[in-house]
Amino acid sequence: PVQKTAYALAIEIHQQIVGALKPGVRMKELYSCAKETVAAKNPDLASKFVTSAGFGMGLEFNDMMLVFNDKCDRTVVAGTPFCISVGFSEPAGKTPWAVWRHEHGVCDPDG
């Protein structure tokens, strides 16, 4: 089923982002690389991929200035806590479905 394939790809994308989460990397680059991987591995899932793949956590749980999306030009800073959240959904399909993988962590100085 498509959900099983989507979840396996979500895990792969999640691991890719964790591996690339290093000080100085632009947040939009993390998201762009994730989108490119989805398009290359399973083009049918590209339109179902999340519009952001995580966010930084500051004084507010979800710091809207630190979002992994196409527009965020901010860079990753060592010591910043993050929530990496990757998934796919098809809410308007014949049988709506969604799969998600998320994890919280802190960016180490060495990445």
Side-chain angles (χ1 to χ4, degrees), residues 44-103:
D44 293 339
L45 289 174
S47 65
K48 298 166 181 54
F49 188 58
V50 292
T51 57
S52 68
F55 53 87
M57 296 183 291
L59 293 176
E60 305 221 2
F61 172 68
N62 184 350
D63 188 335
M64 296 309 294
M65 300 298 290
L66 303 174
V67 179
F68 301 166
N69 64 19
D70 281 335
K71 298 178 179 126
C72 187
D73 205 29
R74 296 194 177 236
T75 57
V76 173
V77 176
T80 302
F82 289 99
C83 174
I84 299 169
S85 180
V86 179
F88 298 89
S89 67
E90 187 171 28
K94 187 176 180 182
T95 305
W97 63 270
V99 296
W100 230 265
R101 169 84 169 113
H102 77 272
E103 179 179 26

